[in-house]
Amino acid sequence: KALQQGWKNSPFTQLVNSIPSSADPMLHKVFDLELQIANRMQQAGVGILTGTDSSIPYITQGFSLHHELQWLVKAGFSPLEALRSATLRPAEYFGITGSAGSIAKGKLADLVLLNADPLANIDNAGEIEAVVAGGHYLGRNDLDKMRAQLKAAAQ
């Protein structure tokens, strides 16, 4: 509980969720510069990969990926390029496009089924109806049960 409270009071937590207008103006400038750098890197052809840095405090695996996709779009990426940074680009980087990174016959059946189009609005990537992981289907009820168990364990 002390760790959770520390995270809630941290300025970094505000960065992950959004920077409030009351934050130090320098924090806004630094973060805006980081978004500009990400945009320039992407425009220059640098491969950008999303990632859940589990060793960094305040990062919650899974949830943080959605924040990262939102920030990439805010940086100027199209929703498609932001999604590719979480799917195809990592498979390319690790040399496993034959088995991962896109949906095709013979590839690993690890995917997320959404209720809304993330290309229309990147926030829709969070509208998860089901997950197929390792060929196993997890419907909305299964996912809700897992979330409740994780929430209980975290408290």
Side-chain angles (χ1 to χ4, degrees):
K1 290 210 179 230
L3 180 61
Q4 289 173 333
Q5 192 58 41
W7 285 5
K8 285 179 184 176
N9 295 330
S10 168
F12 189 78
T13 300
Q14 294 173 352
L15 262 181
V16 170
N17 297 316
S18 68
I19 302 174
S21 57
S22 62
D24 183 333
M26 184 57 73
L27 183 61
H28 284 278
K29 288 180 182 179
V30 169
F31 195 72
D32 288 343
L33 180 60
E34 289 174 349
L35 293 177
Q36 291 173 24
I37 291 169
N39 178 276
R40 289 181 184 169
M41 290 173 65
Q42 195 263 349
Q43 288 179 358
V46 174
I48 304 292
L49 310 180
T50 60
T52 303
D53 299 319
S54 61
S55 63
I56 296 178
Y58 326 114
I59 301 296
T60 305
Q61 294 95 348
F63 298 102
S64 295
L65 175 64
H66 295 284
H67 293 134
E68 189 169 358
L69 293 172
Q70 292 165 350
W71 286 120
L72 288 174
V73 169
K74 185 172 182 171
F77 289 51
S78 70
L80 179 59
E81 276 303 315
L83 290 168
R84 283 182 176 158
S85 73
T87 56
L88 181 59
R89 300 290 177 250
E92 290 172 342
Y93 178 82
F94 289 108
I96 58 171
T97 55
S99 63
S102 61
I103 301 170
K105 185 176 180 178
K107 291 193 175 187
L108 297 173
D110 290 341
L111 49 100
V112 178
L113 304 173
L114 304 175
N115 285 320
D117 183 1
L119 299 179
N121 182 336
I122 198 63
D123 294 346
N124 290 338
E127 296 296 322
I128 300 169
E129 178 60 29
V131 172
V132 179
H136 299 287
Y137 179 85
L138 299 166
R140 183 73 259 157
N141 288 339
D142 300 314
L143 298 172
D144 289 341
K145 286 178 190 174
M146 291 171 68
R147 179 181 275 179
Q149 290 170 345
L150 289 171
K151 185 176 181 180
Q155 294 177 356

